[in-house]
Amino acid sequence: TWGRTAILLMMKRFSNAHGPTTKPVSDLLKWQRSRPPPPPAYPNIPVQKPDLDLIHNPPKDRVLITWIGHSTALVQYHGINVITDPVFAHRASPVSFAGPARITPPAMSIEELPKIDYTLISHNHYDHLDKNGVKKISRQSDPTFFVPLRLGKWFNRRGIDNVIEMNWWQQYDINNQAMSMVPDGTTVSSPPAFPGTPPANKCQNSPSFLNESSLILPRTRPSSSSPSFSTLSSSSSLNSNINNSNDTTCSISSSSSSPSSSSPQVLVTCTPTQHWSRRTLFDTCMSLWSSWVIQIDDFKFWFAGDSGYNPYQFKEIGDRVGPFHASAIPIGAYAPGWFMKNHHVDPFEAVQIHQEVGSGWSLAIHWGTFPL
C-alpha cells in the first residue's frame, strides 16, 4: 500500500522542461554546511516611501509600477490594479520565530494598497506566498487570484474562492471569461531583440539592467497608441541605478487616449519558468510554478516569478506572447552557483532574459529583502 501511494505521489509531481527540478539531499546538506554564518546585524538599508496619493489617484494615461519589496510589485493602468506575489510577512517561513527575516520592510503596508483587482502568484515558496498577506488582501479587495495548477485548493482551504488555476500557455480573457491556449509557433516575425540605441520614448534615467547602453528595442515597435516610456513621477527616484536599494514608483506616460467608460480589456497568460515548489516536507513539486503576462488594453507586462536560466524558455515566451512594455525579473539568491544555478538567475542571466523576452524596460526584483 505504501509503495503504491509513493508511486501515485511521484506521478503527480511536476518537473521542469529544460533543467533539473530538485536537488539531491546530499547537495542540500553540503550547502547548509558550507553557508557562511549570518552577520550579527544587517546594515540599515533605507526604503523610500512611495507617493500614496499618486498610487490612490493614478492618472488614467500612465502606467505606474511600484516595487514594494522582494517579488512584490504593484502595476496600475487604466484603473486596473495588479499585485505580484504579495509578501508582507516579517519572515519567509512557516513559523514566526525562525527562518529568513526581512532586512528591509515593505515599502507600503497592505492597508495602504489601493483596491486590488488581480493578484498573480508564481509558486508556493514562503518568500512568494504569504498566507496572512493573501488573506488580508482577499478580505480588503476580493481580487481574482491567478495561480499555477494545483495551487487553487490551498487558497480555497483558507477561505479564498475567487481563484483561477492555469497551466503553462493557457490564456484567460477576463472580459469574456474565456480560457484558451496560446497557439504554438512563433508569433513575432521580426528579428530577435538587439542591443543598441534605446527607444526614443523610454523611462528617463530608467533603472533597466546595467545601463542605458544595455537597453534593447522591443521586437516590434509599439504602435502609436502604446504607452511610451518617457517621464517619471515626481515621487520616484529612478535616476539611480539598479544597485540602489530604494523602492520606487515608475510612471510611464501613454500616448493613447484615456480609457472609455467601458471596462478595460484584460488578458492573463500563464507562461513557463524553471523552478520548483514545496510548502511542506510532503508536497515537493505537487503544484506548478509559473511566470505571468497581463495585458491591460494596450499595455503588456511580464512577471517572471522565480527562475533559473535556460536558453529555450524565455526565447519562446518572447516569440509567442512578447514583446513587453515592461517586466519584473529576479536577480537575487544566486550564490553559491553550484547549488542555486538551476533555480535562480544572477544579474547577467537576468539581462539575457530581459533581451530574450523582448522587454522594453525591466525592474529588478527578488533581492534586498530576505537573506536566502
Side-chain angles (χ1 to χ4, degrees):
T1 302
W2 281 108
R4 181 182 178 188
T5 301
I7 291 172
L8 289 174
L9 288 175
M10 289 300 294
M11 290 174 62
K12 290 174 65 177
R13 298 183 194 276
F14 293 98
S15 61
N16 287 312
H18 300 289
T21 303
T22 57
K23 293 280 188 179
V25 175
S26 58
D27 278 2
L28 176 63
L29 295 176
K30 177 183 175 183
W31 172 60
Q32 292 285 0
R33 288 194 301 267
S34 62
R35 293 184 76 180
Y42 287 93
N44 184 19
I45 303 173
V47 175
Q48 177 178 325
K49 194 72 175 175
D51 185 337
L52 295 180
D53 182 63
L54 178 66
I55 286 172
H56 283 270
N57 301 280
K60 297 297 184 182
D61 61 343
R62 289 174 181 262
V63 178
L64 296 184
I65 301 176
T66 305
W67 184 41
I68 296 173
H70 201 55
S71 298
T72 308
L74 175 66
V75 181
Q76 301 174 269
Y77 187 53
H78 280 186
I80 298 294
N81 300 316
V82 181
I83 196 166
T84 64
D85 283 356
V87 173
F88 293 83
H90 176 63
R91 292 187 185 274
S93 170
V95 296
S96 61
F97 55 85
R102 281 183 176 270
I103 59 175
T104 54
M108 57 194 299
S109 67
I110 292 177
E111 291 73 21
E112 291 172 323
L113 290 172
K115 184 181 186 304
I116 300 299
D117 298 287
Y118 307 109
T119 302
L120 307 179
I121 302 293
S122 65
H123 63 297
N124 70 357
H125 286 161
Y126 285 91
D127 60 320
H128 293 260
L129 181 53
D130 170 12
K131 177 185 69 174
N132 292 329
V134 296
K135 289 172 68 175
K136 286 182 180 179
I137 289 174
S138 178
R139 288 195 299 267
Q140 181 171 301
S141 299
D142 191 27
T144 301
F145 288 82
F146 287 91
V147 305
L149 283 182
R150 295 205 194 122
L151 194 51
K153 288 184 178 179
W154 183 94
F155 285 83
N156 299 156
R157 289 194 296 268
R158 285 150 186 85
I160 302 174
D161 296 319
N162 194 6
V163 180
I164 297 177
E165 272 190 2
M166 294 174 65
N167 198 355
W168 292 350
W169 302 118
Q170 281 190 306
Q171 196 167 65
Y172 187 74
D173 183 333
I174 289 173
N175 301 79
N176 297 315
Q177 298 185 3
M179 190 79 75
S180 61
M181 293 296 294
V182 176
D184 290 334
T186 300
T187 59
V188 178
S189 58
S190 56
F194 56 93
T197 306
N201 296 318
K202 61 177 178 63
C203 226
Q204 188 180 21
N205 297 321
S206 157
S208 291
F209 291 123
L210 298 183
N211 50 48
E212 288 193 357
S213 65
S214 72
L215 285 173
I216 56 166
L217 292 171
R219 295 183 182 179
T220 59
R221 292 186 179 274
S223 66
S224 60
S225 63
S226 297
S228 59
F229 297 74
S230 56
T231 53
L232 294 175
S233 68
S234 59
S235 67
S236 63
S237 63
L238 293 184
N239 56 342
S240 58
N241 61 30
I242 197 171
N243 294 316
N244 190 297
S245 60
N246 288 348
D247 295 328
T248 57
T249 299
C250 179
S251 174
I252 304 169
S253 67
S254 172
S255 57
S256 66
S257 58
S258 297
S260 64
S261 58
S262 61
S263 298
Q265 299 296 303
V266 182
L267 189 68
V268 177
T269 307
C270 183
T271 48
T273 189
Q274 183 171 295
H275 205 59
W276 63 299
S277 67
R278 184 169 68 190
R279 195 80 180 172
T280 72
L281 293 175
F282 309 104
D283 65 351
T284 302
C285 297
M286 292 180 68
S287 63
L288 190 58
W289 44 94
S290 67
S291 54
W292 294 93
V293 179
I294 186 162
Q295 181 168 352
I296 305 168
D297 289 334
D298 55 342
F299 173 71
K300 192 183 289 187
F301 175 79
W302 181 59
F303 169 51
D306 206 355
S307 185
Y309 178 77
N310 67 70
Y312 311 103
Q313 252 166 356
F314 304 106
K315 293 175 184 176
E316 185 180 18
I317 290 169
D319 286 343
R320 293 178 69 172
V321 291
F324 308 105
H325 295 93
S327 300
I329 303 176
I331 66 165
Y334 56 84
W338 67 266
F339 184 75
M340 295 291 193
K341 185 173 180 60
N342 294 327
H343 301 125
H344 294 107
V345 294
D346 61 32
F348 296 98
E349 291 169 321
V351 173
Q352 189 73 19
I353 293 171
H354 166 83
Q355 294 175 335
E356 290 178 358
V357 300
S359 181
W361 178 88
S362 288
L363 169 70
I365 59 170
H366 202 269
W367 70 283
T369 309
F370 294 106
L372 300 174

